[in-house]
Amino acid sequence: ASLLFTDCKGFTTVAEELNDPQQVAELLIEYFTHSSRCVLDNGGTIIKYIGDSVMAAWGMPLEDPEHPRKAVQAAWELSEASKLVVRGRVLTTRVGVSTGNVLAGNLGSPYRFDYTCIGDTTNLASRLEGMNKMLGTSILISESTAKRLNNEFVVRLTGYFAVAGKTHGIAV
C-alpha cells in the first residue's frame, strides 16, 4: 500500500487568531473538502482526519498496482491546491508518502476501534510529512515510493535521513 499524511502549515496560529471553535470548524470543513477531493479523485481511501491532517491510503482495502503513482499524484494536487484561498487564508499543505507493507483493518480496544493502517510504512509516511517543516519542502516521498513511479514524476534526492525511530538513514 501507499500511505499519505498531510499537515496544514501554520494551522495552530490560524486557530488561535480565529479564537472561535465554530469558525475553526467551518475553515476545516472547507479545507478537508478540498483535501479529500484530491485523495478521492485519485482512488485513495481517507482513513481519518487528525486535527488539521488527513491520513489516506492506496492499494487497500482493494488492490491497485498503480497505488504509488496515484498517491503521489494526490500529493502533487494537494500541494497545488495549497495555492487556493480558503475563507481569506492561504492554507498550505505539506505531504509525506511512503509505500510498503501495512496491516490494514479494524484496530483498537474493547472500548473503541476503527479502520486504520499500521506498520513501518505508515510511520514513515507520517515522519516524512513532518520533515517538510525542517527542510522547507512541501512533498517528501520515500525511496520505495520513488522507485515505483516509472519516471512519471520529476523527483530529486533530498538526502538520507534517520527519521525518528529509525536506526539508519533512509533515502528521501
Side-chain angles (χ1 to χ4, degrees):
S2 291
L3 274 287
L4 174 146
F5 279 83
T6 72
D7 182 61
C8 185
K9 179 181 176 182
F11 196 79
T12 300
T13 303
V14 170
E16 182 181 47
E17 288 172 4
L18 290 173
N19 195 28
D20 177 356
Q22 184 62 41
Q23 287 186 30
V24 172
E26 291 169 6
L27 185 65
L28 276 175
I29 289 167
E30 210 166 319
Y31 173 72
F32 285 145
T33 299
H34 290 295
S35 301
S36 298
R37 192 172 305 120
C38 295
V39 170
L40 298 173
D41 286 352
N42 285 288
T45 300
I46 298 167
I47 304 299
K48 61 184 76 176
Y49 301 115
I50 310 159
D52 60 303
S53 302
V54 177
M55 176 185 177
W58 285 258
M60 47 56 49
L62 302 173
E63 289 187 35
D64 181 353
E66 295 187 37
H67 62 84
R69 182 190 60 75
K70 290 178 179 180
V72 172
Q73 179 67 37
W76 180 79
E77 289 176 16
L78 283 159
S79 181
E80 288 297 299
S82 291
K83 298 172 182 137
L84 294 175
V85 177
V86 178
R87 296 188 174 250
R89 298 174 183 275
V90 176
L91 298 179
T92 303
T93 302
R94 295 184 287 233
V95 185
V97 178
S98 183
T99 301
N101 291 325
V102 300
L103 177 64
N106 290 321
L107 184 70
S109 72
Y111 306 104
R112 184 179 188 288
F113 67 93
D114 63 357
Y115 187 80
T116 193
C117 301
I118 60 169
D120 189 49
T121 299
T122 304
N123 292 341
L124 181 55
S126 177
R127 299 289 186 234
L128 291 173
E129 179 282 309
M131 283 179 55
N132 280 301
K133 188 173 187 177
M134 178 185 74
L135 297 175
T137 52
S138 57
I139 302 171
L140 291 174
I141 65 173
S142 67
E143 181 179 33
S144 61
T145 302
K147 284 182 175 180
R148 296 178 182 186
L149 296 178
N150 300 320
N151 297 317
E152 291 182 51
F153 295 87
V154 175
V155 298
R156 68 179 169 87
L157 178 65
T158 305
Y160 293 84
F161 300 91
V163 298
K166 294 281 193 185
T167 56
H168 60 284
I170 58 156
V172 176

